[in-house]
């Protein structure tokens, strides 16, 4: 199995995406940004992995031809993980050993936003949200034993944020998003889980 | 066109990044685990006596020579017996005259087992004088919804109900099972023995007054 470091992958993605974003921005009122994202688990996500996530990223594009609104697309990921040992119980049994839990959520969303001011050169607060597909992968490892579960669902992602301009046609996004997906399938227990979380993303891009 | 290319490249880049996480196993101790399953219904709560056949079955269906020898079988069985006795169970030695509530069967798996039931157990075990009529042809089943996998090198301890076999479905209820996973090799027995002790520690419901 090939393992690539997150930092290296992020740098490669940035090198690929930012120049292409600039080309696109020459002809249209686009804003394209790469964002670093941290997340706080909620609900079932917190029950499964209580620790916050420092590993996440978003690439989004916004068509900003209207003064107060934009539509766009977003793809990103947030991953949660936990290492542990000792004994834990589950319905119908118990297990002892080193364990590793991992959850990654990959939303692919159509987005929209409303900006409270019209001047694109000023910092602009906005409210918006996205809707679309979300890919969920859960992994549980106990000793030698791996189990994974992957599925696709639907997610609603309301957000609030700040869009701002920077220098030479660049800009940034600060966004707080609440991820509300549909239930994921049964995994290691009876009953579905709904993996909710809040993400905070900050990114720079071209506009 | 450029927009489409941006979308594709962006998605590929982010999904590739999402696939990268530090999940490598770094120490040997991370490979070992002890899992216990229980059906805590009335038959288990009522059980007080056990029979422990003096055989550890080495399950290796491909016909090759067992990689894990029988040299440690006696120690394994002694540790299991000591665990039950310490929890207040009484062993039935003469199974021809007295039927125990449960039978404890022990196996070393040299092939992966997956499922919630094991159909070949009775037939593989063969004759044992403590079986009720028909039992050797039955399969054992676990009533919970949890599907489990036991890997090669696992020591599997099962507790089968000797009073409540279902003649219609030909299933023997599995009341308790312990899988000591990843510790049994051709050269080491200590991990398995420690795992047996741990299996009892994490099964407090087996304690009898």
């Amino acid at each position: 199995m090939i393992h690539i470091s997150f930092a290296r992958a992020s740098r490669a993605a940035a090198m690929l995406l930012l120049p292409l974003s600039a080309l696109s921005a020459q002809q249209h009122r686009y804003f394209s940004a790469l964002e670093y994202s941290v997340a706080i688990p909620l609900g079932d996500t917190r029950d499964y992995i209580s620790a916050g996530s420092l590993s996440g990223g978003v690439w989004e594009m916004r068509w900003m031809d209207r003064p107060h609104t934009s539509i766009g697309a977003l793809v990103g990921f947030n991953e949660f993980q936990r290492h542990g040992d000792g004994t834990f119980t589950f319905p119908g049994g118990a297990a002892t050993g080193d364990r590793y839990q991992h959850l990654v959520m990959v939303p692919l969303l159509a987005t929209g936003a409303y900006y409270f001011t019209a001047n694109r050169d000023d910092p602009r607060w906005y409210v918006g949200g996205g809707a679309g597909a979300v890919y969920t992968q859960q992994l549980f490892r106990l000793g030698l034993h791996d189990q994974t579960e992957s599925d696709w669902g639907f997610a609603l992602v309301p957000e609030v944020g700040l869009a701002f301009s920077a220098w030479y046609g660049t800009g940034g996004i600060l966004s707080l998003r609440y991820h509300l997906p549909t239930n994921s399938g049964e995994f290691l227990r009876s009953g579905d889980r709904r993996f909710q979380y809040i993400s905070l993303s900050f990114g720079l891009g071209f506009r | 066109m450029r927009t489409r290319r941006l979308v594709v490249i962006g998605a590929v880049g982010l999904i590739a990044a999402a696939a990268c996480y530090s999940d490598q196993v770094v120490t040997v101790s991370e490979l070992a685990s002890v899992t216990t399953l229980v059906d805590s219904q009335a038959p288990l709560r009522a059980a007080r006596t056990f029979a422990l056949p003096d055989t550890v079955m080495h399950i290796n269906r491909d016909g090759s020579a067992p990689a894990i020898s029988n040299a440690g079988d006696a120690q394994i069985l002694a540790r299991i017996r000591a665990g039950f006795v310490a929890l207040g169970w009484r062993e039935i030695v003469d199974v021809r005259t007295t039927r125990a509530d449960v039978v404890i069967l022990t196996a070393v798996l040299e092939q992966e087992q997956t499922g919630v039931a094991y159909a070949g157990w009775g037939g593989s075990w063969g004759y044992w004088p403590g079986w009720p009529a028909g039992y050797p042809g039955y399969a054992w089943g676990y009533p919970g919804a949890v599907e489990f996998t036991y890997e090669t090198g696992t020591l599997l301890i099962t507790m089968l109900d000797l009073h409540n076999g279902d003649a219609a479905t030909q299933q023997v209820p599995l009341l308790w099972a312990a899988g000591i996973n990843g510790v049994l090799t051709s050269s080491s027995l200590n991990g398995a023995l420690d795992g047996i002790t741990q299996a009892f520690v994490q099964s407090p419901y087996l304690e009898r007054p």
Side-chain angles (χ1 to χ4, degrees):
Chain A
M1 185 182 297
I2 297 173
H3 293 279
I4 307 167
S5 74
F6 170 72
R8 188 177 298 172
S10 300
R11 282 197 298 272
M15 290 175 65
L16 281 172
L17 292 173
L18 288 176
L20 291 171
S21 301
L23 289 175
S24 176
Q26 290 169 5
Q27 298 170 3
H28 306 282
R29 290 184 181 277
Y30 289 157
F31 178 71
S32 176
L34 275 175
E35 302 166 15
Y36 170 65
S37 180
V38 297
I40 299 170
L42 299 174
D44 288 342
T45 312
R46 189 175 185 83
D47 292 342
Y48 183 56
I49 298 177
S50 58
S53 164
L54 297 176
S55 176
V58 172
W59 172 73
E60 71 170 307
M61 189 144 190
R62 299 184 182 195
W63 282 260
M64 308 184 76
D65 289 328
R66 296 177 182 274
H68 280 282
T69 59
S70 69
I71 58 171
L74 176 155
V75 58
F77 74 94
N78 289 97
E79 64 171 349
F80 301 86
Q81 52 188 320
R82 176 167 68 182
H83 290 271
D85 57 16
T87 300
F88 69 100
T89 59
F90 52 85
T96 301
D98 284 294
R99 64 183 185 275
Y100 173 73
Q101 289 164 267
H102 180 262
L103 169 69
V104 62
M105 309 284 289
V106 182
L108 298 98
L109 308 174
T111 61
Y114 174 81
Y115 304 85
F116 293 104
T117 57
N119 188 346
R120 296 184 184 87
D121 292 327
D122 291 337
R124 295 195 296 167
W125 291 98
Y126 69 88
V127 295
V134 59
Y135 172 78
T136 304
Q137 185 186 69
Q138 306 171 65
L139 179 147
F140 181 85
R141 172 179 298 144
L142 177 69
L144 283 171
H145 187 191
D146 263 1
Q147 277 195 302
T148 59
E149 171 81 12
S150 303
D151 54 34
W152 286 91
F154 181 81
L156 289 174
V157 185
E159 67 174 287
V160 296
L162 177 69
F164 57 92
S165 61
W167 58 94
Y168 299 112
T170 62
I173 288 281
L174 178 66
S175 177
L176 188 68
R177 299 185 175 98
Y178 172 53
H179 298 252
L180 181 64
T182 52
N183 287 343
S184 295
E186 287 187 3
F187 182 58
L188 300 173
R189 72 171 195 181
S190 57
D192 294 341
R193 284 188 175 96
R194 185 193 297 270
F195 288 117
Q196 307 169 57
Y197 61 98
I198 290 176
S199 66
L200 178 65
S201 304
F202 175 77
L204 296 171
F206 291 92
R207 65 191 181 100
Chain B
M1 191 63 188
R2 282 175 180 159
T3 302
R4 186 180 302 169
R5 189 167 54 184
L6 273 175
V7 170
V8 171
I9 292 174
V12 169
L14 286 167
I15 291 171
C20 307
Y21 49 88
S22 56
D23 65 337
Q24 292 93 342
V25 173
V26 293
T27 65
V28 174
S29 66
E30 290 181 27
L31 302 177
S33 62
V34 178
T35 304
T36 50
L37 303 175
V38 63
D39 176 12
S40 304
Q41 303 302 311
L44 178 64
R45 292 198 298 271
R48 295 287 186 279
T49 59
F50 72 99
L52 182 66
D54 61 357
T55 302
V56 175
M57 189 161 64
H58 289 245
I59 298 177
N60 186 351
R61 286 182 168 176
D62 64 10
S64 60
I68 300 168
S69 80
N70 296 84
D73 289 2
Q75 285 176 271
I76 288 171
L77 292 172
R79 183 64 65 97
I80 295 169
R81 176 179 291 109
F84 278 104
V85 170
L87 290 174
W89 290 68
R90 184 166 61 87
E91 183 177 12
I92 301 298
V93 178
D94 187 355
V95 293
R96 296 173 194 272
T97 58
T98 306
R99 180 182 295 178
D101 296 324
V102 299
V103 59
I104 310 299
L105 300 184
T106 310
V108 172
L109 304 182
E110 297 196 14
Q111 63 181 30
E112 186 178 279
Q113 302 286 332
T114 303
V116 294
Y118 181 59
W121 187 279
S124 299
W125 190 266
Y127 177 74
W128 175 63
W131 289 124
Y135 259 46
Y138 287 13
W140 57 254
Y142 179 69
V146 178
E147 182 169 299
F148 56 89
T149 301
Y150 289 123
E151 312 284 349
T152 297
T154 295
L155 173 65
L156 182 62
I157 308 167
T158 57
M159 177 192 287
L160 301 181
D161 185 349
L162 288 177
H163 292 307
N164 296 292
D166 188 331
T169 62
Q170 292 208 321
Q171 281 218 336
V172 182
L174 174 65
L175 301 182
W176 179 78
I180 295 102
N181 203 344
V183 293
L184 204 56
T185 68
S186 56
S187 60
S188 172
L189 188 63
N190 289 337
L193 296 176
D194 291 343
I196 294 168
T197 300
Q198 176 58 38
F200 287 110
V201 168
Q202 68 187 48
S203 305
Y205 41 78
L206 291 178
E207 188 166 356
R208 296 294 179 264

